[in-house]
Amino acid sequence: MMKKSIILLLVFSLVASMFLVACGPKETTTTDGGDSTDVAINNPATGRGNVLTIGGSNWNGSFNPVTWSTAYDHYIVGLTFDPLLSWEADTTLTTKGGLLESYEMSDDGLVFTFKLREGIKFHDDTELTAEDVAFTYDVIMRPDYKGRLFNNVRDIVGAVDRKDGKAEVASGIEVLDKYTIQITMTTPKATNLRNIATLQPMPKHYYDKATFDEMAELDRDPIGTGAFKMKDHVIEQYIELEANKEYWQGVPKLDGIIYKHVARANELSEFEIGSIDAVNFETAKENYEIIQDYEHGNLINNWNNGYAYAGFNFTNPIFQDQRVRQALVYGVDRHGFVESFFGPDGAFVAQTPISPVSWAFPESGLNEYKYNPEKAAELLDEAGWKLESDGWRYKDGQKLAFTWKTYQEAAWAVQFPALAKENWKQLGIDVDIELMDFNSLATLLTGEENKGAWDMFNMAWGLTTDPDMQSTFGKSNTPPGNNRGYYYNEKIEELMEKGVLELDQAKRKEIYNELALEFNKDLPYIFVYMRTNPWLVNKRVKNFNPTEFRYFFQDAHLIEIVQ
Amino acid sequence: MGKYIIRRLLQQIPILVGVSILLFAIFQMAPGNPLAQFFNDPNMTAEQLQQLEAAYGLDRPAYLQYFDWVTKMVRGNFGYSISLRQPVSSLIAERMWTTFYIAFVSMLLSLLIAIPLGVISATKQYSIFDYGGTIFALMGVSIPVFFFALLLIKILGVDARLLPISGMRTAGARMAFPYNYLDIFKHSIMPLIVLGLTGAGSFMRYTRSSMLEIIRQDFIRTARAKGLKEKVVIYKHALRNALIPVITLLGFSLPVLFSGALLIEIVFIWPGMGRMQFQSVMNRDYPLMMGINMFLAILTLSGNLLADISYAFVDPRIRFD
């Protein structure tokens, strides 16, 4: 008997010591503070030569400018293709870095004339012509197109007929000569130029196939005009790109770029041991703490252009009262949640559907809705929801109770509703939380027939460079469109319409500033957070400069490695 | 024997038809939509969604969609994945052997550890070896794979820097003949350790219990009585009989060899079927889900057949005539 227990003890101590080894304090070399580069730092990445290795989540393999759907596919598309027009850090469109030499818009804002730079070659050594641009628009309009970009070309004359199969070509697209193309639009919108000029032309002779599926089979071997071209694609492992020596903006300074698939759980470890040079790591409080130990890394802490929200179902009378919505926002501790979840560097509380780095964001006047249960109770009383002796609120015999559907794939989506439930319970509001998978939730919300089946939900939006938000809040976009809460506000509807049709930038700014304040007051959503989009980049890499609105791959030919 | 195999193979055709109808019906009835990947795009409009539904043929009645799928499938065309946009058959083919490699080698490793341990545990029941082995098996079964994997990465990959953290090959390296395989082997050591050790536990318990049952039987006593050496008794007479249930287990493992190890693939970035299968379900990628599940259904049926046939070899009492 004695013997047995000794063995058990031995085994357990062995196991325990394994844990201790793993969790014990790490030996860190102390530095003299500051990030001066003169101090020789031990850089584990230097052995890998003049190739930039980026780590990140897996791609889908749609390296095609008109079908990509994930951010990682977009990296590869952005490195291998160029847009017609590029844009500055403040989102202003520019010919610098774009394939257009010049462009013109007619006085009525309907006709655009694009003039291509001459002599630009695709990776297979054929020249880029206006036919390729016309083809790129046409692919998106074809009836069997299976991508997300139709909205970009929808306002071109004849696009809808082409999509419905009533026309062979869209009459609004006219190739004038080898390098000139004219596009005619149906309505003069401020968003028109951005919609059609930020697309990346694809070589017609390579991609023009009888069916969409056949074209999609070429997705893994993209041929574009970009600074880098596809060299090797090992499924779920890495993508190897090599420098395009003929690049029209100059020979890239790197020999190549490798995009390496790394696990979320290991992304910082991979950076630590130097197997990757740059990583767009997950925004989390603990990650910001970990990277402070990495002497060989620089943090680029940009804001992410998007926000997370909890939406109301406006077909439910409870939520039609603005005071109730304001009470719900005052009544949940968003600031405390964001602080503990993302830390001080990772996110801030969102107040309106516009990113603070956008020109459309108002300089002042936004209500912060700091956690204030008293104020919330006051608003609820005012709205007629009175606290009864059983601890819940009632109005005309109806209890203040509803359901909140959320999804399990994201940690915040599980934790935030739980916090709201706790906070609101103290105010006398009874919330029932239902956890689903993302796909089921999205399907439920997108079905018009399900509008009685839910009261609240939460999700996140990624925003485009233009602040237009009609697709999310416009009355014509209720499900299956993106206005999932059936939101309608006359004043906001008018302002959104004005914002799209106004062509003068200064006046547009005024309109969107006003919109931001209106949304902040009317609260179609509980705006939860806007987070950062942080990059950790090895100090040996220069000119790797993603900003809020510009991707790292714009000007990729300038990225350099200094040992 | 030949007749038996042909009869069994013919029986599998109606079974597969039934399986395909069942799978198709379950996938259709489950909530969700293959186009949900588009729902979270702020630029998406209802008009576009309708166009996409038509382009993917999702607006037609389910029985027509099934009929369409079957007619293409019997001609070897499994269709295109909705989320990955590539032919389903090539998506499966390009992950099949990497999945098999890691599963097969780790299973061998498991058996190499489990069978001797199981035999020793059984023959020396209630000894130190038995308790040690039982604890080992219990640990293997109960340690979370994810945790074990991250622990190994921390110790061997980050602290000691002996092995690469993840992946199957060194990114971008072009290696000549033996080195490219050595590279793959080096990358597979950690996943193999995790899968081998965690898998060994259950095999060991099976071997132990079936061995215990066998060594109490009369023919073992007879063998000992006629003066055979203990080694021969155990390893020739007892073990061969004790392995019969393990063979059943192995037969059922055939689809497992190709279905992938989800967590291993996620943590170690191993290109395999598990992650793709998981993603296909999360995305409701109907063609891909059907393709993978039909592939696994065929393997399950073949595995059963193989197990039945191999009984004939290990167990002389079984004859298929």
Side-chain angles (χ1 to χ4, degrees):
Chain A
M1 199 63 204
M2 190 64 202
K3 234 170 154 185
K4 262 186 256 164
S5 48
I6 286 173
I7 301 251
L8 271 174
L9 197 74
L10 274 174
V11 170
F12 279 115
S13 55
L14 197 76
V15 175
S17 63
M18 270 167 74
F19 282 75
L20 287 177
V21 168
C23 310
K26 205 175 58 182
E27 276 178 53
T28 45
T29 42
T30 46
T31 49
D32 45 346
D35 52 14
S36 58
T37 38
D38 341 316
V39 184
I41 47 167
N42 179 21
N43 195 332
T46 38
R48 274 187 296 100
N50 194 25
V51 172
L52 174 76
T53 305
I54 301 169
S57 301
N58 198 18
W59 51 90
N60 264 358
S62 296
F63 311 132
N64 179 322
V66 299
T67 63
W68 64 267
S69 61
T70 70
Y72 318 107
D73 286 12
H74 190 204
Y75 291 169
I76 307 301
V77 171
L79 289 165
T80 47
F81 291 84
D82 291 307
L84 290 170
L85 288 179
S86 186
W87 54 92
E88 310 272 5
D90 66 354
T91 76
T92 317
L93 292 169
T94 170
T95 52
K96 189 180 165 286
L99 297 171
L100 292 188
E101 190 179 85
S102 61
Y103 63 96
E104 267 169 45
M105 182 176 78
S106 63
D107 292 337
D108 58 5
L110 287 177
V111 184
F112 293 93
T113 313
F114 292 164
K115 175 96 176 55
L116 288 169
R117 291 172 202 272
E118 292 180 22
I120 290 181
K121 296 274 178 67
F122 285 110
H123 297 155
D124 62 355
D125 220 30
T126 52
E127 194 181 1
L128 165 74
T129 69
E131 287 293 344
D132 298 313
V133 181
F135 165 74
T136 306
Y137 292 133
D138 188 60
V139 165
I140 303 174
M141 297 173 184
R142 289 182 182 178
D144 66 346
Y145 172 64
K146 294 174 180 170
R148 315 158 297 117
L149 295 178
F150 182 71
N151 233 22
N152 283 58
V153 297
R154 190 184 190 286
D155 291 320
I156 295 178
V157 172
V160 176
D161 281 346
R162 174 74 174 116
K163 182 192 64 123
D164 294 341
K166 290 180 200 150
E168 282 296 300
V169 283
S171 53
I173 304 173
E174 229 178 308
V175 175
L176 299 184
D177 63 45
K178 197 175 172 193
Y179 300 108
T180 320
I181 185 168
Q182 196 178 61
I183 316 287
T184 313
M185 313 296 291
T186 52
T187 20
K189 287 185 183 170
T191 44
N192 279 346
L193 181 63
R194 190 175 298 277
N195 279 342
I196 59 174
T198 50
L199 295 175
Q200 298 129 318
M202 311 148 64
K204 181 178 180 183
H205 68 272
Y206 181 66
Y207 284 102
D208 196 5
K209 299 281 174 197
T211 65
F212 177 89
D213 287 336
E214 277 173 64
M215 182 189 81
E217 288 194 38
L218 301 171
D219 280 3
R220 290 177 179 183
D221 303 300
I223 288 190
T225 54
F228 291 86
K229 49 187 180 183
M230 183 63 78
K231 187 174 178 192
D232 199 5
H233 172 199
V234 184
I235 49 142
E236 300 194 1
Q237 294 291 301
Y238 61 87
I239 294 156
E240 191 179 5
L241 304 170
E242 62 182 340
N244 172 10
K245 302 277 186 214
E246 313 289 310
Y247 189 53
W248 60 279
Q249 291 200 79
V251 181
K253 300 202 163 136
L254 294 170
D255 293 338
I257 293 181
I258 291 175
Y259 181 81
K260 182 175 165 13
H261 180 195
V262 299
R264 270 288 185 212
N266 297 328
E267 57 186 6
L268 291 180
S269 303
E270 298 264 13
F271 186 87
E272 185 184 345
I273 65 163
S275 58
I276 54 178
D277 293 305
V279 59
N280 187 195
F281 66 90
E282 191 172 18
T283 309
K285 195 178 183 178
E286 58 276 16
N287 282 352
Y288 280 99
E289 285 159 11
I290 292 169
I291 61 166
Q292 286 180 352
D293 292 342
Y294 299 167
E295 311 168 29
H296 61 286
N298 280 331
L299 172 67
I300 302 176
N301 206 21
N302 290 323
W303 290 110
N304 181 47
N305 192 25
Y307 62 91
Y309 65 93
F312 303 112
N313 185 339
F314 281 82
T315 63
N316 183 335
I318 294 177
F319 300 117
Q320 286 164 7
D321 192 327
Q322 195 188 70
R323 288 167 299 190
V324 172
R325 300 197 300 273
Q326 289 179 342
L328 290 173
V329 179
Y330 274 122
V332 55
D333 189 2
R334 295 179 304 157
H335 291 80
F337 174 78
V338 170
E339 168 72 28
S340 67
F341 198 85
F342 296 102
D345 301 319
F348 62 89
V349 178
Q351 310 293 1
T352 192
I354 296 175
S355 163
V357 282
S358 164
W359 52 264
F361 193 77
E363 266 141 47
S364 62
L366 287 175
N367 184 354
E368 280 203 61
Y369 292 99
K370 281 254 164 80
Y371 181 49
N372 189 342
E374 293 79 30
K375 176 102 183 172
E378 221 172 87
L379 283 162
L380 287 171
D381 284 337
E382 227 176 89
W385 294 98
K386 305 283 186 209
L387 205 56
E388 305 256 322
S389 54
D390 64 353
W392 303 113
R393 284 178 189 268
Y394 292 85
K395 179 179 171 180
D396 308 326
Q398 188 201 349
K399 189 178 170 190
L400 187 46
F402 48 85
T403 60
W404 182 335
K405 306 222 188 242
T406 182
Y407 57 100
Q408 63 203 10
E409 282 92 335
W412 86 273
V414 178
Q415 294 176 15
F416 183 69
L419 173 77
K421 185 184 168 81
E422 271 314 298
N423 283 173
W424 290 346
K425 193 173 164 188
Q426 285 156 23
L427 288 169
I429 306 164
D430 189 10
V431 193
D432 196 18
I433 296 170
E434 219 176 288
L435 204 59
M436 313 172 81
D437 76 304
F438 183 84
N439 194 307
S440 303
L441 177 60
T443 307
L444 178 87
L445 297 169
T446 308
E448 201 188 346
E449 66 283 3
N450 301 327
K451 66 176 154 189
W454 60 275
D455 301 314
M456 279 191 75
F457 74 103
N458 56 279
M459 272 191 190
W461 284 125
L463 298 174
T464 48
T465 37
D466 193 89
D468 169 34
M469 66 283 274
Q470 274 178 313
S471 69
T472 23
F473 298 110
K475 69 167 181 221
S476 61
N477 285 311
T478 53
N482 275 336
N483 182 357
R484 292 163 179 162
Y486 303 86
Y487 177 70
Y488 173 65
N489 173 313
E490 207 182 323
K491 187 169 181 198
I492 283 178
E493 187 75 23
E494 258 172 48
L495 281 171
M496 288 194 299
E497 190 67 25
K498 253 172 84 182
V500 182
L501 296 176
E502 180 59 64
L503 299 179
D504 182 85
Q505 177 64 19
K507 284 186 190 150
R508 273 199 98 195
K509 186 172 158 61
E510 268 172 47
I511 295 168
Y512 284 103
N513 284 180
E514 195 185 343
L515 261 174
L517 299 181
E518 284 299 318
F519 277 120
N520 177 239
K521 192 177 108 198
D522 200 44
L523 298 171
Y525 294 152
I526 298 178
F527 298 105
V528 185
Y529 66 81
M530 293 198 181
R531 63 170 175 85
T532 55
N533 184 25
W535 279 94
L536 186 61
V537 185
N538 194 301
K539 283 182 177 158
R540 76 188 193 121
V541 182
K542 293 280 172 287
N543 294 331
F544 185 94
N545 297 321
T547 68
E548 267 83 8
F549 292 111
R550 278 177 64 83
Y551 301 99
F552 77 87
F553 53 72
Q554 291 175 297
D555 291 335
H557 62 292
L558 297 177
I559 300 174
E560 211 177 333
I561 282 178
V562 288
Q563 298 290 0
Chain B
M1 190 72 162
K3 256 190 204 162
Y4 171 79
I5 292 174
I6 290 167
R7 202 174 66 229
R8 283 286 299 265
L9 284 174
L10 285 176
Q11 275 171 0
Q12 296 193 350
I13 295 170
I15 296 177
L16 281 174
V17 173
V19 167
S20 74
I21 293 175
L22 208 65
L23 284 174
F24 201 89
I26 291 172
F27 295 158
Q28 288 285 329
M29 281 188 291
N33 189 322
L35 298 182
Q37 56 162 321
F38 296 109
F39 294 168
N40 228 29
D41 187 324
N43 265 329
M44 213 61 198
T45 59
E47 180 194 26
Q48 269 174 284
L49 281 175
Q50 276 154 12
Q51 184 257 329
L52 283 169
E53 236 177 33
Y56 281 110
L58 295 165
D59 52 350
R60 294 172 309 151
Y63 71 90
L64 276 182
Q65 290 183 44
Y66 175 76
F67 192 70
D68 194 39
W69 179 82
V70 168
T71 47
K72 280 187 184 149
M73 200 267 288
V74 291
R75 280 176 280 148
N77 177 0
F78 281 83
Y80 286 80
S81 154
I82 293 173
S83 55
L84 301 174
R85 298 182 193 277
Q86 299 297 315
V88 168
S89 44
S90 64
L91 287 169
I92 293 177
E94 65 195 8
R95 286 166 178 80
M96 211 164 93
W97 296 112
T98 49
T99 310
F100 178 78
Y101 163 68
I102 204 88
F104 184 71
V105 178
S106 66
M107 186 182 278
L108 280 186
L109 197 65
S110 292
L111 291 175
L112 274 178
I113 300 171
I115 292 177
L117 268 183
V119 172
I120 295 171
S121 275
T123 47
K124 304 204 159 92
Q125 204 185 0
Y126 304 129
S127 70
I128 296 172
F129 287 110
D130 189 20
Y131 283 110
T134 305
I135 289 170
F136 167 79
L138 218 62
M139 271 172 56
V141 173
S142 53
I143 191 166
V145 169
F146 198 75
F147 174 76
F148 189 25
L150 286 178
L151 201 68
L152 271 187
I153 289 175
K154 168 91 176 105
I155 296 169
L156 296 177
V158 179
D159 294 342
R161 307 214 177 168
L162 286 173
L163 294 169
I165 289 180
S166 70
M168 192 180 84
R169 295 171 195 197
T170 308
R174 283 187 172 59
M175 299 181 186
F177 165 62
Y179 301 104
N180 51 359
Y181 286 97
L182 276 176
D183 189 43
I184 293 178
F185 176 70
K186 204 168 118 190
H187 279 84
S188 64
I189 292 176
M190 280 202 276
L192 286 175
I193 292 177
V194 174
L195 279 178
L197 288 187
T198 52
S202 57
F203 279 131
M204 191 220 130
R205 298 297 292 168
Y206 272 106
T207 317
R208 178 179 179 271
S209 60
S210 120
M211 195 71 185
L212 277 175
E213 213 174 285
I214 299 290
I215 50 178
R216 299 220 164 86
Q217 286 188 10
D218 290 344
F219 73 93
I220 294 293
R221 200 177 304 147
T222 316
R224 285 203 179 109
K226 70 182 181 187
L228 282 178
K229 279 189 200 142
E230 185 64 13
K231 254 189 191 156
V232 180
V233 174
I234 297 296
Y235 291 99
K236 189 156 178 243
H237 294 264
L239 183 60
R240 206 175 146 171
N241 285 290
L243 285 184
I244 292 174
V246 179
I247 283 171
T248 321
L249 209 64
L250 285 178
F252 282 123
S253 299
L254 189 65
V256 177
L257 288 177
F258 286 96
S259 62
L262 177 64
L263 291 173
I264 291 298
E265 289 168 23
I266 288 175
V267 184
F268 291 111
I269 312 293
W270 192 265
M273 213 77 105
R275 211 175 143 271
M276 184 168 77
Q277 188 181 13
F278 179 72
Q279 289 297 337
S280 76
V281 174
M282 296 316 276
N283 292 328
R284 310 292 192 277
D285 191 336
Y286 295 148
L288 190 53
M289 284 159 88
M290 284 304 288
I292 296 175
N293 283 291
M294 284 310 289
F295 174 67
L296 294 179
I298 292 169
L299 286 177
T300 308
L301 293 178
S302 320
N304 283 350
L305 181 58
L306 276 180
D308 286 348
I309 293 169
S310 36
Y311 281 149
F313 291 99
V314 288
D315 190 345
R317 287 168 300 182
I318 295 173
R319 289 267 178 275
F320 301 111
D321 290 318

